[in-house]
Amino acid sequence: MKSWGLLLVAALAIGSSFGVHKNNFKTCDQSGFCKRLRSFKPEKSQYSLNLDTVIVHGNVLSAEVNTVDTTTQKRIILWHYALRLSALVDGTFRVEIDEADPLYPRYRTQLALNGEPKADGLKIVSNENGIITVANSQGHKVIITAEPLKLEFVNLAGDVAVILNDNAQLMVEPLRVKKERVDDEDTNLVEVEEEGTWGENFKSHHDSKPRGNEAVSLDFSFPEADNVYGIPEHTDKLALRTTTSGDPYRLYNLDVFEYELDSRMAIYGAIPVVYSHGPKRTAGVFWHNSAETWVDVVNYADSTVVSSLVNLVTGGQKRRVDTRFISESGIVDAFVFLGEKPADVFRQYTQLTGSAPIPPKFSLAYHQCRWNYVDEADVRGVDDNLDNYDIPADVIWLDIEYTDRKKYFTWDPIKFPHPSDMVANLTAKGRKLVVIVDPHVKREAGYFLHEDATELGYYVKDKDGKDYEGWCWPGSSSYLDFFDPAVSKYNSERYLFENFPGTSKDVHLWNDMNEPSVFNGPEITMPKDCRHYKPPQDGNDGLAAFWEHRHVHNEYGLWNVRSTHEGMLQRVDNKYRPFILTRSAFSGTQRYGAVWTGDNAAEWGFLAVSVPMCLSLSVAGVSFCGSDVGGFFKYPEPELMTRWYQAGAFQPFFRAHSHIETKRREPWLYEAPTTALLRDANRRRYALIDFWYTLFYEHSVDGLPVMRPLFQEYPHEEDTFTIDDQYLLGDKLLIRPVVQPGVSSVPVYLPGAAQRTLWYDVDSYHAHHAAGYFTQDVTISKIPVYQRGGIIIPRKERIRRSSSLMADDPYTLVVALDVNGTAQGSLYIDDGESYEYRNNKYIYAKFKYESNAMTYSFPNENAHYPTRSWVERIVIAGIKTPPKTAKLHQGDKQLSLQMTLHKGNDVLVVRKPGANMAHPWKITFSY
Ligand SMILES: *[C@@H]1O[C@H](CO)[C@@H](O)[C@H](O)[C@H]1NC(C)=O
Ligand SMILES: *[C@@H]1O[C@H](CO)[C@@H](O)[C@H](O)[C@H]1NC(C)=O
C-alpha cells in the first residue's frame, strides 16, 4: 500500500525531489555486527573439529568444534561449539553450529520450514589424516577437514560444488555475562569490552542489546560458478553483483519510502537463499536465520575484483563466486543444495520451505486497486465502469480508508454502511473484494481489539516488558505478538464472519505494513530490544524468558500471514482457499500468500525492475509475485500505463494500484485508444487464465518457479545466465515485455538453438528458429510473447466480466509444433475455489499431438471434474503436410471434423471438435 509518506509531505513540499531518504536506514558501518564481522578477515580459521568427538547417529554427524588461540604455540582452547551435519533427502545437507553450552538458548528460526526436513542415510566413508569423508545414500559426499574447519560438498559427478569456511569467516560470537566495570589498578586483568557490545545508537534510537554481541557468520564458495542469484528482495539485477566496493546486500524487512533502483538496500522482503550457477552445475545455500543479515558477494570474474585477490583465494581461477552471510543473532544453520541443475536447486529449496498451494482461480485474474476507493458509491462506480468499458476484472480492493478511522475489522459507518450489500453486488458479477488488515492496532479506548489485546497481554512488549507503543496509520499503535499461539488464535478468530461483519467467503485479505512498519521506530520498524513470546520452560527466567525482536524480525510478517490464513480457513470450515497478499516476505511466506514489490513509482525504471525482482522472488519460492501496475507513486502517462498493463498481464500477480494523492487512473480515464490497449492487455490475461491456473497447479506439485529465468530451462547456454529482462512461464511461453519509452523494436533472445527449438510469435504464429538475439519490431499494441515449439496451450477466447463467468466456456487449443512435428501440453480444471481437489474432484489432463493423432488423456484415472467446457477450436501451427481428414473419438462417439488452412498453409484449424473436456478424447488424422 504505502509507506510513511505523509510524514514526509512537508519535506517534499519544500522541494526535495523523489527518492529514498537513505539516512533513515543503516549502512553496514552503522550496523554494529556488520561492521565488526565484515572486517574480521583472519588468515586462518580459528575453528577446528575435535576428531575424537565425532559420532554418527542416524542421518546426523555430530562433533565438537573448538576455537583455538593460534597466536601461541600452546593451543589454548577458547570456546566450545557443537556441529551437526545432517543428510536430508534429495541431495540436501544441513550444517548447524551452535555454542556447545550457551549461557541461554540461542534463537532458532521457527516458521520457515514446512515441517521437519526428511532424513536421508549418512555414513562415514573414510577418516584419516584429519579428514573425514561422509556420504548420503545417493552418493553425495561431504569432506570435512578438521583443522582449520572446512566442509566441501561433492556432487554425484565427483565435483566440489560448495565449500564452507574456505575464507575462514566462520564466526559465532559467544553469549557472555556483562562484566561490571572494575577500576582495578592492574588494568591488564580487566577485559576491555568493545564499544557497542551492550548497546548501540542509531540516530535518536538506542538499542539496549541485553544479550550483548551474538552475531554469526559463514562463507560459502561456489567453484566454477559464473553467477549467484537469490537473496530477494532488492531492486538489483537477478545475477548478483560483487560487493567489494560499497555495502553488502542487506536482508532486513523494512518499509522503505520511495525505494531506489539498482540498490542492495533492504526493502520489504528478506529471503536468505542463494544459488550458484555455471555451465557445469548449479548449487545453493539456504541460510536459515531470521535476524538482520548482510550478504557479501565476490565474483572473481568481475573486473572490479583485483587479480591479487583472485590469485590469493582461487589460485587464479576466475570462474568462482564466494558469498558470505553475516547475521546479528541466531545460530549458524545452513542447508546446502547440490543440484545439479537449476530446477533441482529450486525444488530442493521448496521441498524445505513449501510450495504455494493452488490459489483460488480469481486471484490469478485482474485486480483493480487504489488507495482508496472512498465509499460504496465509488466501488459501485468502478465496478460498473469495468463493465461499461468492457474491462474484465475479478477483484476490487479496499485500502485502509474503508475502516472506521484505521481500526481493522471495522467499517467506516458513513462511507461503508452496507458492506454486505456491496459484497453481494460484486459477487453477483463473479467479482470479489479484498480488504486490508494491517498488524498495527490503534490504541483507542473502546476499540475491542485494543482492549482485548491490552487486557490479555497480547501485544509485543518493549524492552522493559510494557506494551510497546509505536506510531503508524492510526496514530499511536501497538502490535500483536503473533509468536504467542494464543495471540495468533485470537487474531485468526477476528476473521470469523461473526467477528468481521460484512465479510463473506468472497472477501479476501491484504496484510500490509507487516515488516512491521513503525513510523517513529529505528529504520521505520520495531526496536530490536522489543520482546516477543517464547514458550515457557522450566528455568526460563531473565533473558531466557523471551525472544527479542532482533532474533525474529524477518519472520514477523510470516507469523502475521500464517495467522490470517488460519482465520480465513476457519471462517468457512476449511472449505475455501484463502487469498492473502503480503508485503513482508520471508522463507515460507509462499505457503500462505502472494507477495508484491511494494510502493514503486510510475517510472520506466520501476516497470523494468519488476521483472528481475519477481524472478528473484520466484526462484526463492515466491512464484505468486507482481508489482503495482502503473506505479504507486506518481502518475503514469499513457505509454507507460500501456506498457505496464502489457507486462503485468504476463506476471503472476496482476494488480493495478495507486497512491491516494495521485490522479485517478482507472483504464477508462485515459483517452479511448489507451483504454483500448489496456483492455486488450486484460483480455489477453483472461484468454490464458486456465494456462495460469495450470501452471500454479503444477507449481503446487513440483515446487518449480512459475515465472522462470531462462537459465533454468537452458542451463548450458551461457548467454542466458544474466538475462533478466525476459523470462519463461513454465517451460512454455517466453515473455519479453517492452519496458522503455518510444521504442519501435526490442532485442529478444530466443534460447535453445542447440535443441533446434522453434518459438512461435503468439500473435502471428510465425515460427522463429532459436538463434540467440533477434530484433522484434514492436508497435504500441505489441507484447512480444512466444510459444515454444512442442507446447500445447489451452485458451479461452470468449472473454467475460470475470474469470468465474468463463468457467464453462469452450477452449481453443493452440498446438505449436516442434521440429519433429510433435507437441504436448497440460490442463488443470477444478471448481476454482474449494479444497475438493483433495478429494480427486479435478482434472489434470495431458495433451499430446503427433502427426497421426491428438489425444487428451487423464493420467490420474481417479480424478474427475464434471466440467461443461468443450473444445471449440484447435489451431496447429507449424504443420508441414496438412492431413486430409480428421476424426474425433470420444466414448462411443465418432465425428468427422472440418479443417481450414491459414497463413502460408502452415496453420491448420480444426473447427468445432465439440469434445467435452470432462472425458478423454482423441482426434485421428489421415493423409
Ligand atoms: C447494490 O446494487 C443495487 C442495485 O444496483 C444498488 O441499488 C445498491 O445501492 C448497491 N448496494 C451497495 C452497497 O452498493
Ligand atoms: C526430435 O526427435 C529426435 C529423435 O527422436 C530427438 O532426439 C529430438 O530431441 C527431438 N527434438 C525435439 C525438439 O523434440
Side-chain angles (χ1 to χ4, degrees):
M1 181 210 29
K2 65 236 130 230
S3 329
W4 63 310
L6 294 181
L7 295 186
L8 291 175
V9 163
L12 290 171
I14 58 168
S16 78
S17 62
F18 181 86
V20 68
H21 290 244
K22 275 195 178 171
N23 61 356
N24 282 330
F25 304 100
K26 290 181 186 175
T27 60
C28 177
D29 275 352
Q30 290 168 320
S31 184
F33 75 96
C34 187
K35 182 177 186 189
R36 203 164 64 240
L37 271 69
R38 204 184 190 204
S39 61
F40 166 74
K41 286 178 180 153
E43 254 173 47
K44 184 171 166 238
S45 180
Q46 289 190 328
Y47 290 75
S48 64
L49 182 137
N50 181 347
L51 288 162
D52 299 334
T53 61
V54 172
I55 298 170
V56 174
H57 184 75
N59 69 322
V60 181
L61 175 149
S62 50
E64 192 178 284
V65 166
N66 302 315
T67 40
V68 187
D69 185 351
T70 49
T71 56
T72 64
Q73 295 297 325
K74 286 217 281 200
R75 295 181 42 89
I76 302 164
I77 290 181
L78 298 174
W79 212 261
H80 298 287
Y81 299 90
L83 167 88
R84 279 166 62 89
L85 168 70
S86 322
L88 304 174
V89 293
D90 202 17
T92 298
F93 289 93
R94 181 180 196 175
V95 177
E96 294 157 280
I97 303 172
D98 192 358
E99 291 181 67
D101 189 16
L103 211 50
Y104 25 76
R106 300 174 70 110
Y107 185 66
R108 288 167 180 255
T109 296
Q110 299 178 67
L111 211 54
L113 299 178
N114 188 28
E116 207 36 50
K118 291 193 191 68
D120 192 9
L122 183 76
K123 62 169 195 285
I124 295 187
V125 178
S126 66
N127 181 355
E128 51 194 11
N129 306 328
I131 297 175
I132 301 178
T133 303
V134 296
N136 68 7
S137 66
Q138 281 180 271
H140 300 99
K141 288 184 186 145
V142 188
I143 302 168
I144 307 169
T145 305
E147 187 173 355
L149 180 65
K150 179 165 90 171
L151 287 84
E152 293 164 284
F153 292 80
V154 182
N155 66 11
L156 296 180
D159 297 329
V160 174
V162 184
I163 316 174
L164 272 61
N165 205 31
D166 205 23
N167 292 323
Q169 289 172 332
L170 171 60
M171 164 74 104
V172 179
E173 292 183 325
L175 295 165
R176 286 177 296 164
V177 180
K178 186 172 182 176
K179 292 207 177 68
E180 296 309 324
R181 212 183 170 76
V182 191
D183 281 326
D184 202 307
E185 292 282 289
D186 187 356
T187 47
N188 284 338
L189 290 181
V190 178
E191 197 177 318
V192 182
E193 304 230 45
E194 222 178 317
E195 199 193 321
T197 302
W198 301 101
E200 277 178 40
N201 296 317
F202 176 65
K203 299 184 79 174
S204 61
H205 302 279
H206 178 70
D207 173 7
S208 64
K209 292 183 69 178
R211 287 163 167 83
N213 293 340
E214 49 175 324
V216 296
S217 94
L218 183 55
D219 58 281
F220 305 93
S221 301
F222 301 101
E224 295 174 290
D226 283 355
N227 290 104
V228 293
Y229 310 87
I231 54 169
E233 187 176 22
H234 299 97
T235 59
D236 207 11
K237 298 247 171 250
L238 176 65
L240 303 174
R241 293 190 251 215
T242 292
T243 57
T244 42
S245 66
D247 270 356
Y249 289 91
R250 189 181 189 203
L251 294 172
Y252 193 54
N253 291 338
L254 290 174
D255 180 2
V256 180
F257 179 65
E258 295 182 348
Y259 64 77
E260 65 176 6
L261 299 177
D262 300 314
S263 174
R264 303 177 205 145
M265 283 175 70
I267 50 173
Y268 318 99
I271 305 186
V273 63
V274 71
Y275 306 102
S276 69
H277 180 67
K280 280 203 169 169
R281 76 186 79 94
T282 317
V285 168
F286 169 36
W287 178 256
H288 186 219
N289 190 307
S290 48
E292 179 187 345
T293 297
W294 296 78
V295 185
D296 267 315
V297 174
V298 181
N299 187 334
Y300 294 94
D302 278 356
S303 54
T304 54
V305 180
V306 292
S307 52
S308 56
L309 184 64
V310 180
N311 288 330
L312 180 73
V313 178
T314 75
Q317 171 61 260
K318 288 196 162 189
R319 221 169 206 167
R320 164 162 156 155
V321 186
D322 288 356
T323 61
R324 185 221 191 151
F325 284 73
I326 307 173
S327 291
E328 184 174 16
S329 62
I331 63 164
V332 166
D333 187 0
F335 293 86
V336 175
F337 307 127
L338 288 177
E340 303 175 5
K341 296 263 184 299
D344 297 321
V345 290
F346 302 155
R347 187 196 63 244
Q348 284 158 350
Y349 175 73
T350 48
Q351 277 239 345
L352 288 176
T353 61
S355 309
I358 315 170
K361 196 171 179 183
F362 80 84
S363 63
L364 294 171
Y366 173 68
H367 302 253
Q368 183 67 52
C369 186
R370 177 173 173 85
W371 176 26
N372 218 94
Y373 292 125
V374 298
D375 56 18
E376 288 174 357
D378 196 3
V379 171
R380 201 157 60 240
V382 171
D383 184 36
D384 287 346
N385 275 330
L386 288 164
D387 297 339
N388 296 340
Y389 289 89
D390 208 10
I391 312 284
D394 270 52
V395 200
I396 294 181
W397 289 54
L398 292 178
D399 209 320
I400 51 174
E401 314 297 335
Y402 81 89
T403 58
D404 180 9
R405 291 165 299 128
K406 319 293 189 292
K407 289 179 287 188
Y408 302 107
F409 306 105
T410 72
W411 299 85
D412 183 314
I414 312 284
K415 294 173 178 159
F416 291 92
H418 317 102
S420 302
D421 269 8
M422 179 177 68
V423 171
N425 283 355
L426 291 173
T427 55
K429 293 181 185 174
R431 294 204 173 114
K432 319 281 177 191
L433 184 72
V434 169
V435 295
I436 197 165
V437 171
D438 290 345
H440 49 254
V441 177
K442 184 173 191 169
R443 297 184 58 84
E444 183 180 278
Y447 177 28
F448 70 91
L449 194 53
H450 174 58
E451 302 223 315
D452 287 358
T454 306
E455 196 176 306
L456 297 165
Y458 283 175
Y459 284 137
V460 176
K461 305 292 184 286
D462 67 14
K463 68 177 172 46
D464 301 317
K466 295 200 290 287
D467 287 349
Y468 170 69
E469 288 184 45
W471 196 263
C472 207
W473 294 123
S476 177
S477 303
S478 287
Y479 294 75
L480 292 176
D481 188 7
F482 302 103
F483 293 79
D484 179 345
V487 179
S488 182
K489 180 166 181 288
Y490 170 84
N491 179 67
S492 294
E493 287 167 358
R494 293 319 97 204
Y495 291 98
L496 298 178
F497 299 139
E498 63 262 35
N499 292 333
F500 195 176
T503 59
S504 75
K505 79 170 182 54
D506 294 311
V507 178
H508 293 260
L509 267 299
W510 178 12
N511 290 154
D512 192 6
M513 310 295 279
N514 52 357
E515 293 76 21
S517 175
V518 180
F519 295 160
N520 61 344
E523 304 192 88
I524 329 298
T525 191
M526 191 172 273
K528 285 177 167 170
D529 51 10
C530 276
R531 297 179 181 189
H532 290 272
Y533 172 87
K534 181 177 171 188
Q537 272 163 14
D538 286 348
N540 274 5
D541 47 18
L543 289 173
F546 57 87
W547 296 119
E548 286 172 59
H549 188 65
R550 89 184 69 251
H551 303 124
V552 306
H553 175 86
N554 284 347
E555 63 176 313
Y556 179 83
L558 173 57
W559 288 78
N560 171 219
V561 294
R562 187 180 75 146
S563 173
T564 304
H565 189 261
E566 183 56 36
M568 292 179 71
L569 286 174
Q570 279 172 18
R571 65 182 192 170
V572 286
D573 297 328
N574 296 299
K575 198 155 176 266
Y576 295 106
R577 294 170 234 164
F579 169 73
I580 302 169
L581 181 70
T582 173
R583 193 170 68 184
S584 157
F586 185 61
S587 299
T589 296
Q590 69 271 14
R591 303 197 299 269
Y592 307 109
V595 175
W596 96 110
T597 62
D599 300 350
N600 60 3
E603 292 175 2
W604 289 93
F606 280 94
L607 166 58
V609 83
S610 68
V611 177
M613 286 179 81
C614 279
L615 277 173
S616 171
L617 279 161
S618 215
V619 298
V622 181
S623 267
F624 206 172
C625 171
S627 69
D628 279 348
V629 169
F632 177 66
F633 297 112
K634 302 182 145 187
Y635 179 76
E637 295 306 324
E639 187 187 3
L640 176 58
M641 191 63 156
T642 302
R643 292 307 190 192
W644 216 318
Y645 267 73
Q646 293 173 340
F650 289 90
Q651 291 180 10
F653 177 59
F654 181 27
R655 182 187 74 154
H657 186 38
S658 52
H659 189 282
I660 195 165
E661 286 159 12
T662 59
K663 189 168 137 191
R664 290 285 284 247
R665 78 247 334 235
E666 285 70 36
W668 50 89
L669 297 177
Y670 287 83
E671 302 276 330
T674 299
T675 303
L677 290 165
L678 306 185
R679 175 187 304 123
D680 177 63
N682 276 31
R683 291 174 65 90
R684 286 175 187 242
R685 175 60 165 230
Y686 279 73
L688 287 173
I689 195 77
D690 284 50
F691 168 72
W692 279 104
Y693 199 46
T694 302
L695 288 178
F696 270 87
Y697 166 74
E698 289 170 347
H699 168 78
S700 76
V701 174
D702 64 24
L704 294 178
V706 167
M707 182 174 173
R708 296 183 183 170
L710 268 54
F711 75 84
Q712 178 179 340
E713 296 297 328
Y714 301 92
H716 301 293
E717 222 169 303
E718 292 185 24
D719 284 315
T720 66
F721 296 179
T722 51
I723 289 179
D724 62 5
D725 57 357
Q726 56 181 70
Y727 58 93
L728 299 164
L729 292 177
D731 61 352
K732 298 175 174 171
L733 289 182
L734 183 147
I735 321 291
R736 198 312 186 178
V738 179
V739 295
Q740 283 174 309
V743 294
S744 55
S745 68
V746 291
V748 180
Y749 183 90
L750 295 179
Q755 298 92 323
R756 298 171 63 217
T757 306
L758 297 172
W759 292 97
Y760 291 77
D761 186 313
V762 298
D763 296 322
S764 64
Y765 301 123
H766 175 75
H768 298 268
H769 288 265
Y773 280 102
F774 85 106
T775 301
Q776 171 71 58
D777 290 338
V778 295
T779 60
I780 187 66
S781 61
K782 178 73 182 174
I783 314 175
V785 175
Y786 309 86
Q787 181 170 340
R788 185 162 71 81
I791 291 296
I792 300 173
I793 286 185
R795 295 172 56 87
K796 285 196 166 174
E797 301 200 320
R798 304 180 185 194
I799 310 303
R800 299 183 196 275
R801 292 191 288 206
S802 64
S803 67
S804 64
L805 301 180
M806 295 163 59
D808 292 333
D809 281 352
Y811 289 93
T812 290
L813 305 175
V814 179
V815 181
L817 299 181
D818 62 18
V819 285
N820 295 338
T822 65
Q824 5 200 332
S826 51
L827 174 63
Y828 178 79
I829 304 175
D830 67 10
D831 63 25
E833 60 175 6
S834 81
Y835 287 102
E836 281 297 300
Y837 66 85
R838 290 177 178 162
N839 302 322
N840 271 335
K841 294 225 174 71
Y842 70 92
I843 289 169
Y844 181 57
K846 295 281 188 188
F847 299 109
K848 192 164 186 201
Y849 177 93
E850 280 165 351
S851 60
N852 60 352
M854 177 164 175
T855 55
Y856 173 72
S857 62
F858 298 174
N860 177 357
E861 287 180 2
N862 298 320
H864 295 284
Y865 183 74
T867 178
R868 285 187 297 189
S869 292
W870 48 284
V871 197
E872 179 167 45
R873 191 182 297 115
I874 299 173
V875 179
I876 304 160
I879 203 141
K880 296 217 170 65
T881 318
K884 287 210 174 68
T885 67
K887 192 180 267 182
L888 171 75
H889 312 257
Q890 187 169 38
D892 301 337
K893 199 171 73 178
Q894 292 200 12
L895 187 67
S896 287
L897 303 175
Q898 292 192 334
M899 296 177 287
T900 51
L901 267 183
H902 301 263
K903 230 187 118 216
N905 288 341
D906 59 355
V907 178
L908 180 81
V909 174
V910 182
R911 302 181 58 204
K912 285 221 167 53
N916 174 236
M917 297 297 270
H919 304 284
W921 49 258
K922 179 174 186 170
I923 293 171
T924 50
F925 300 100
S926 68
Y927 293 83

